[in-house]
Amino acid sequence: MTVSLRQWLNSVRGAVLDVPDVMALDYLSQTAHEFAERTLALKRTLRYDLEAGVSDYFVRPDDMKGIVPIALQSVHVNGTLYTPPSPLSCTNACYVPCAGGAVVYDAAAGMVDVSPRPTEDSPGGLRITLAVAPRVGEHEVDSLLWDQFMQPILAGAVAKLYSLPGHPWSSPSSADRHMVAYGAGISAARYRALADYTFSTARLDPGVVI
């Protein structure tokens, strides 16, 4: 479920007088992306059918509409859990072994390779969980950001607007004050996301970043 950043405009206007809507939306979009990227608070789990004899599986573009991948969090293959050694260790490409098998993730290709190859079809047998962020410029964002993180994202956007020189609303002191609130929100959300990230007992060896 998504919400429009336009719902946040009144709050921005209340803090930063005379800011144009287009500029306010741009900074809200940038800050929502940055917040999700730095905290790993936003996750997307994708489900695909495993096919006999097929090892390579590609993320469908429609499944990533309006978002970009930040880091692989886990892969389930027919119930076996593969997790990287840390939540930010697999941002580009990585090899994650497990008892009797492994998965390779390639962010650039949007691909997950599983080994050994499945020997039979398994509907919904592959689950890929990614930490994601809204695309910069996207004005529809996941409702989780509105429900749980609206205040720090607003603080970050307002801080950046206050820090712009040469505008009627420019105010370095106000920028500093709101940036402190933004930083505190990032720290709290990131701590919670990292605390939720646990290693599976099914993984015998750490993943290797490649």
Side-chain angles (χ1 to χ4, degrees), residues 166-185:
H167 292 279
W169 62 78
S170 300
S171 174
S173 61
S174 296
D176 291 344
R177 186 174 68 254
H178 283 83
M179 191 56 74
V180 168
Y182 179 49

Side-chain angles (χ1 to χ4, degrees), residues 10-27:
N10 285 339
S11 297
V12 176
R13 292 194 205 103
V16 185
L17 300 180
D18 300 323
V19 62
D21 286 358
V22 171
M23 182 179 289
L25 284 170
D26 284 346
Y27 277 86

Side-chain angles (χ1 to χ4, degrees), residues 125-141:
L126 177 65
R127 285 189 292 148
I128 305 165
T129 299
L130 299 167
V132 299
R135 293 183 185 276
V136 173
E138 184 67 40
H139 293 167
E140 293 284 332
V141 300

Side-chain angles (χ1 to χ4, degrees), residues 68-201:
V68 293
I70 301 300
L72 179 72
Q73 302 297 284
S74 66
V75 178
H76 284 79
V77 182
N78 273 338
T80 299
L81 174 64
Y82 298 82
T83 56
S86 74
L88 267 175
S89 64
C90 192
T91 56
N92 296 310
C94 60
Y95 169 80
V96 186
C98 185
V103 297
V104 174
Y105 171 67
D106 185 336
M111 181 197 75
V112 169
D113 177 272
V114 302
S115 64
R117 288 187 175 91
T119 57
E120 58 185 27
D121 293 346
S122 178
L126 177 65
R127 285 189 292 148
I128 305 165
T129 299
L130 299 167
V132 299
R135 293 183 185 276
V136 173
E138 184 67 40
H139 293 167
E140 293 284 332
V141 300
D142 194 287
S143 59
L144 177 76
L145 298 180
W146 168 271
D147 295 337
Q148 297 187 23
F149 306 113
M150 179 182 69
Q151 291 305 321
I153 292 172
L154 281 172
V158 167
K160 293 171 186 178
L161 287 166
Y162 274 136
S163 69
L164 296 174
H167 292 279
W169 62 78
S170 300
S171 174
S173 61
S174 296
D176 291 344
R177 186 174 68 254
H178 283 83
M179 191 56 74
V180 168
Y182 179 49
I186 285 177
S187 295
R190 183 177 175 85
Y191 177 82
R192 185 166 68 182
L194 294 179
D196 289 343
Y197 187 89
T198 57
F199 297 114
S200 168
T201 55

